[in-house]
Amino acid sequence: MTVAHVLDLLNTVPWWLVVTVKAVIVLVIVQTVFAYSMLFERKIMAWMQLRPGPNRVGPWGLMQPAADAAKMLFKEDLTPKTADPIIYKLAPFISLICAMGAFAVIPFSESSAGIWGVADVNAGILVIFAITSIGVYGISLAGWASGSKFPLLGAVRSTAQMISYELAMTMSVIGVLILAGTTSLSGIVHAQAKVWYIIPQIFGFAIYIITAVAETNRAPFDLVEAETELVGGFHTEYSGLRFGLFFIAEYLNMITVACIATLLFLGGWNAPFGLTIVPGLIWFVLKAGLFIFMYIWLRTTLPRLRYDRLMNFGWKFLLPAATLNLMVTAAIVAVLG
Amino acid sequence: MQSVIGGVVALAKGFATTLQFAFQKKPTVSYPNVKIQHAPRFHGLHELRRYDDGKERCIGCELCSIACPANAITVIGAENTPEDRRSPGERFAARYEIDELRCIFCGLCEEACPTDAIVLTPRFEMADYRRSSFIYSKDRLLVPQDAGKGTAPDERPNGIPSDLGSVIEQKSTVDIMAGYGATHRGEILKTERKGLAG
C-alpha cells in the first residue's frame, strides 16, 4: 500500500470522522502538555526559590502529574448548602469547555498536505477571542453560585478585570490584523514569512503580554484567586475534580495565550534565521514554551498588584497605549499602501 | 519619563535576580538518602552503657529520674546477688524506662548520672506508628552484650553513627569541635562564666 492509496482511503472517510479524530488527538496532546506545563512551572518556580521542586514520584518527579490527577480524582466533591447546585456544578465545565474549544482553530504547523490543526477557520483569531471571552462566565458563575463571600469577591473582581483588559488586548491584536490584512491564523503566519510582527508591533506585543497575563488570572494579576486575601477566590468552595477542572482550564488558557502570541507576533511555525532544517512544529512548541516560561518567571518575580492600581493601569495606560499603537499602525499602513 | 525608565530598570533587576537564583546550587539535602553530619554533642536517643567487663554501669540510683524535668524516666532498682552480678555496685536497674515522647532531650539525666551510665546518642530517627512504642525499656536502651560498651559523649567521634546511612559533610561557619575539647560540660560552663565576668 503506497502513500497515494492511504490518501485515497482518507478521501473516502466522512469529514466528521476526520474532524473528530483530529479533535481527539489534539485534546490528548494538549492535556499532556497541560500536565507537564504544571510540573514545569512547579520545577522552575522551585529552582528560582532555591528548592529542588517535586522529585519523589518517578525519575526527576516526572510522574508527579499522574499522582496529582489521582489525588484529585479521589477527593470528595463538596457542594456548600448555600450554593446554587446546578450553576455551581456547571461552572467548571463552562470554563473547561471554553478553554478547550479555543484549540479547535489553532494551527500548530503546516505541511504540503495542509494545516496541522483541527480546523483552519478564516476568522480564527475572532473565534478564539469569542470562545475565551465566554470562559469568563465560568469564573463569574462559579463565584456567584458558591453562595459564599470570598468566591463572590473573586467573581466580581474577575468580571471587572476581564472587561478592562479584554479591551486593550483586542486593541493590541488589531495592529497585527491590519499589517497582515487577514484574520485567518494561518494567513497571519504566512504574512510573517519575512519579518515577524514582534518587530513592527513591539508595543502591541508588550501590551498583549501584559493583558494576556491579566486575562488568564495569573500573577501578578491573579486578584481573582488571590490566595493571600480571598483564600482561593472564585474556586474557594470547590474541591476534588471540579477544582481540578478549573485548574486545567487556567493552564489551557495559558497555553492558548502562548499559542496566540506565537502565531501573531513570533512568526508561528516559521523558522528563525532560515533554520528550516528543524521542523516547524518544533519551532512552534519552542516559541510557545518560551512564553509559558515567561509566565512562570513573572509569577516568581512580581508581587500581586493592588486592585485600584490594576484598574488604573488597565484603563489609564494600557487602553490608551493600545489605541495609540493601533492608530499609528493604521496611519503607516494607509500611507505606505 | 524618568520614573518610567526607573521602573523598567527596577523590573529588569528583579527578573535578573530570580533567573540567577534558578541556576544557583540548591541548599536542600535530600534527607533520607543523604544526611548532614551534626555536632558531636547532639542530643538524641538514650543509651545505657556497660563497663569493659560487660557489667552494666547503671546502679539503679534513680538520680536521672529525679533530675528529669519532664518526668520521662522510670527506674526500679534491685539488689545484686553473688550468683547474678549485673553491675559492680550493690544495686542494678531491674526496670529502666524512658518515655521518649515526654523526653525533651535536655541531657540532665546524663549530667546527673554518677557512673556515666545513661548517655544521649546522636540517633534521632525514632518515628513509629504507636505511642506505646515510644516507651523505651532496657531491651532497647542497654547496649547489647556483643556490641561493645557504648560511647561516652566526650569520646564520641564527630557526627552520625555509620549505621545510620550515608553522610555528607556539614558546612558550618562555627567550629563544632571548639569548646568540646574541654570534655566536661562543667569546664565549658566555667570558661563561659569567666568570659562573662571578664
Side-chain angles (χ1 to χ4, degrees):
Chain A
M1 212 156 81
T2 61
V3 178
H5 278 110
V6 177
L7 284 177
D8 276 346
L9 212 70
L10 272 180
N11 281 335
T12 59
V13 177
W15 64 269
W16 53 265
L17 192 62
V18 175
V19 168
T20 311
V21 170
K22 273 181 174 176
V24 168
I25 292 172
V26 166
L27 273 188
V28 168
I29 293 174
V30 161
Q31 291 294 340
T32 316
V33 170
F34 145 70
Y36 281 94
S37 63
M38 191 178 72
L39 181 67
F40 181 65
E41 164 160 38
R42 287 176 66 180
K43 273 280 183 193
I44 299 284
M45 244 173 77
W47 289 342
M48 287 182 173
Q49 294 164 350
L50 288 182
R51 295 181 287 119
N55 60 359
R56 292 284 135 180
V57 196
W60 306 291
L62 281 178
M63 294 309 289
Q64 187 68 41
D68 286 344
K71 187 195 83 175
M72 289 278 184
L73 274 173
F74 287 110
K75 285 222 167 176
E76 191 183 354
D77 180 24
L78 290 168
T79 309
K81 254 184 198 167
T82 46
D84 183 326
I86 296 168
I87 299 176
Y88 179 83
K89 285 182 175 153
L90 198 66
F93 291 98
I94 298 176
S95 269
L96 184 69
I97 289 168
C98 294
M100 282 178 168
F103 285 96
V105 293
I106 292 178
F108 298 98
S109 185
E110 191 186 37
S111 65
S112 53
I115 295 291
W116 293 17
V118 178
D120 187 22
V121 185
N122 60 8
I125 186 74
L126 299 182
V127 173
I128 288 180
F129 278 137
I131 294 176
T132 49
S133 302
I134 296 171
V136 183
Y137 280 104
I139 293 175
S140 306
L141 289 178
W144 180 76
S146 288
S148 161
K149 49 185 173 283
F150 290 123
L152 185 65
L153 280 171
V156 169
R157 282 182 180 190
S158 105
T159 319
Q161 187 175 325
M162 293 304 143
I163 291 171
S164 19
Y165 279 76
E166 191 112 347
L167 278 171
M169 189 186 200
T170 321
M171 286 289 194
S172 72
V173 165
I174 293 176
V176 169
L177 301 187
I178 290 176
L179 284 180
T182 172
T183 50
S184 151
L185 286 167
S186 57
I188 291 171
V189 173
H190 288 150
Q192 296 178 79
K194 285 203 183 73
V195 181
W196 296 356
Y197 285 149
I198 184 170
I199 295 163
Q201 284 291 312
I202 181 73
F203 294 111
F205 181 62
I207 294 166
Y208 178 78
I209 288 183
I210 298 169
T211 50
V213 173
E215 277 295 292
T216 45
N217 302 322
R218 294 276 307 181
F221 302 111
D222 60 342
L223 287 105
V224 176
E225 291 168 36
E227 292 89 350
T228 35
E229 338 159 7
L230 295 187
V231 191
F234 67 94
H235 62 57
T236 304
E237 302 293 348
Y238 284 88
S239 61
L241 203 55
R242 276 178 219 281
F243 166 74
L245 295 184
F246 275 124
F247 207 67
I248 298 172
E250 182 187 323
Y251 275 80
L252 288 190
N253 280 331
M254 260 170 74
I255 299 170
T256 313
V257 158
C259 288
I260 298 173
T262 309
L263 290 167
L264 296 188
F265 296 99
L266 300 178
W269 54 84
N270 286 324
F273 316 117
L275 291 169
T276 40
I277 192 150
V278 182
L281 186 66
I282 305 273
W283 283 120
F284 186 90
V285 170
L286 279 179
K287 288 168 186 175
L290 195 74
F291 209 82
I292 288 176
F293 175 75
M294 186 217 70
Y295 258 112
I296 299 163
W297 198 6
L298 265 175
R299 187 176 163 189
T300 49
T301 309
L302 298 180
R304 188 178 303 124
L305 255 72
R306 218 171 63 195
Y307 190 65
D308 59 323
R309 293 205 175 162
L310 175 93
M311 282 297 151
N312 272 344
F313 188 58
W315 287 106
K316 293 184 183 168
F317 177 74
L318 284 179
L319 186 60
T323 315
L324 194 68
N325 178 57
L326 172 62
M327 282 160 67
V328 170
T329 311
I332 290 174
V333 169
V335 169
L336 297 180
Chain B
M1 200 61 207
Q2 199 82 32
S3 67
V4 172
I5 294 168
V8 172
V9 169
L11 271 181
K13 267 187 192 164
F15 280 106
T17 307
T18 41
L19 194 65
Q20 207 184 313
F21 268 62
F23 297 105
Q24 268 178 32
K25 200 178 176 301
K26 311 292 174 276
T28 314
V29 174
S30 67
Y31 160 66
N33 311 336
V34 183
K35 282 156 193 165
I36 284 186
Q37 200 171 59
H38 45 61
R41 277 159 65 191
F42 184 88
H43 284 172
L45 182 62
H46 306 79
E47 184 178 63
L48 280 170
R49 298 170 66 219
R50 289 180 191 273
Y51 284 110
D52 291 339
D53 61 356
K55 288 212 172 65
E56 292 172 20
R57 275 176 179 259
C58 182
I59 50 168
C61 69
E62 298 180 32
L63 276 178
C64 49
S65 172
I66 294 157
C68 183
N71 274 342
I73 308 180
T74 311
V75 185
I76 294 172
E79 297 279 331
N80 276 313
T81 53
E83 299 82 47
D84 180 25
R85 289 201 68 83
R86 307 282 286 277
S87 75
E90 279 178 24
R91 287 159 65 80
F92 74 102
R95 274 179 68 194
Y96 194 104
E97 281 172 5
I98 299 182
D99 186 345
E100 299 291 353
L101 284 179
R102 295 198 67 139
C103 178
I104 57 169
F105 300 95
C106 62
L108 282 181
C109 49
E110 192 180 271
E111 289 195 35
C113 188
T115 58
D116 280 349
I118 184 85
V119 291
L120 286 99
T121 66
R123 285 161 212 273
F124 58 92
E125 289 161 319
M126 288 174 266
D128 211 319
Y129 293 98
R130 268 174 295 173
R131 277 162 193 264
S132 58
S133 53
F134 285 94
I135 296 171
Y136 281 63
S137 53
K138 264 178 97 174
D139 58 328
R140 284 193 288 174
L141 288 172
L142 189 64
V143 181
Q145 190 72 261
D146 53 353
K149 54 193 173 104
T151 44
D154 52 316
E155 58 195 33
R156 193 177 296 143
N158 188 5
I160 299 174
S162 57
D163 56 315
L164 272 184
S166 62
V167 167
I168 59 163
E169 283 297 316
Q170 185 183 33
K171 283 187 225 80
S172 176
T173 47
V174 279
D175 181 7
I176 48 176
M177 293 302 281
Y180 192 63
T183 66
H184 291 294
R185 209 166 288 161
E187 288 291 323
I188 299 163
L189 279 174
K190 248 187 252 168
T191 48
E192 273 173 4
R193 279 191 200 114
K194 253 185 228 162
L196 283 175

